[in-house]
Amino acid sequence: MKECTKCGESKDLTEFSYRKAKEAFESTCRPCQSAATSAWRKKPENVAKRKDQLRDSNLRLNYGITLEEYNVMYESQLGCCAICGIAEKHAARQRLVVDHDHETLAVRSLLCGQCNVGLGQFKDNQDFLANAITYLKRHDVWEWQTTTKAQTPL
């Protein structure tokens, strides 16, 4: 049995989290710790802090960069997509995403969601992208409309 320092109740040790680093049980029981954590997360000043912590954790886990490194990239790109140049605030997804090489996992740049998906659809293959550019030039709608109008008799 152990007494919780928060609620003052004597509880079985199974009601307390064990910390390997301390080699001891927590001083507060799990329900009290859970309530304290929930209350902390709901405070307005902690919401942004928690959001940044989660973002940093996600960037480290998925791309091997920190939130600080992301912010440096963001500033160097002036908050715009590296491909289309659209500003983040006008992008469909609202946040520039980290583009990376799927084979080497090397981070390349920040892109809007549409450009990132576009590269993915072309499997990051330069030949596919070059063929797509050739195709678009060959079937340029504006060029087609002007040439067909010129050939049409009045």
Side-chain angles (χ1 to χ4, degrees), residues 37-101:
T37 301
S38 293
W40 182 88
R41 286 183 179 163
K42 289 178 184 174
K43 288 182 182 177
E45 64 270 17
N46 295 330
V47 171
K49 187 182 212 179
R50 180 73 178 141
K51 196 174 183 181
D52 284 348
Q53 287 173 343
L54 290 172
R55 181 97 173 113
D56 185 62
S57 177
N58 180 42
L59 289 168
R60 286 174 190 266
L61 180 68
N62 294 317
Y63 307 108
I65 65 171
T66 64
L67 181 57
E68 186 177 322
E69 290 169 317
Y70 175 93
N71 290 336
V72 168
M73 289 174 66
Y74 181 88
E75 292 300 321
S76 71
Q77 290 181 214
L78 305 174
C80 298
C81 173
I83 292 178
C84 70
I86 193 167
E88 180 180 69
K89 63 183 176 183
H90 299 297
R93 279 195 60 204
Q94 290 297 313
R95 175 168 276 159
L96 296 179
V97 297
V98 178
D99 178 47
H100 66 286
D101 186 304

Side-chain angles (χ1 to χ4, degrees), residues 60-149:
R60 286 174 190 266
L61 180 68
N62 294 317
Y63 307 108
I65 65 171
T66 64
L67 181 57
E68 186 177 322
E69 290 169 317
Y70 175 93
N71 290 336
V72 168
M73 289 174 66
Y74 181 88
E75 292 300 321
S76 71
Q77 290 181 214
L78 305 174
C80 298
C81 173
I83 292 178
C84 70
I86 193 167
E88 180 180 69
K89 63 183 176 183
H90 299 297
R93 279 195 60 204
Q94 290 297 313
R95 175 168 276 159
L96 296 179
V97 297
V98 178
D99 178 47
H100 66 286
D101 186 304
H102 288 259
E103 289 182 24
T104 66
L105 302 179
V107 172
R108 295 188 280 219
S109 249
L110 303 179
L111 304 177
C112 69
Q114 290 179 319
C115 288
N116 190 48
V117 168
L119 283 182
Q121 293 296 319
F122 283 100
K123 300 177 177 83
D124 294 344
N125 185 309
Q126 292 179 14
D127 293 332
F128 292 168
L129 288 164
N131 290 343
I133 291 167
T134 302
Y135 173 84
L136 288 173
K137 285 181 178 177
R138 188 173 355 128
H139 297 285
D140 187 353
V141 174
W142 182 84
E143 188 178 293
W144 176 80
Q145 288 175 344
T146 56
T147 56
T148 53
K149 285 181 185 175

Side-chain angles (χ1 to χ4, degrees), residues 20-36:
K20 287 182 182 178
K22 294 181 183 180
E23 294 185 1
F25 287 94
E26 288 287 344
S27 60
T28 55
C29 64
R30 285 189 178 129
C32 288
Q33 188 63 41
S34 178

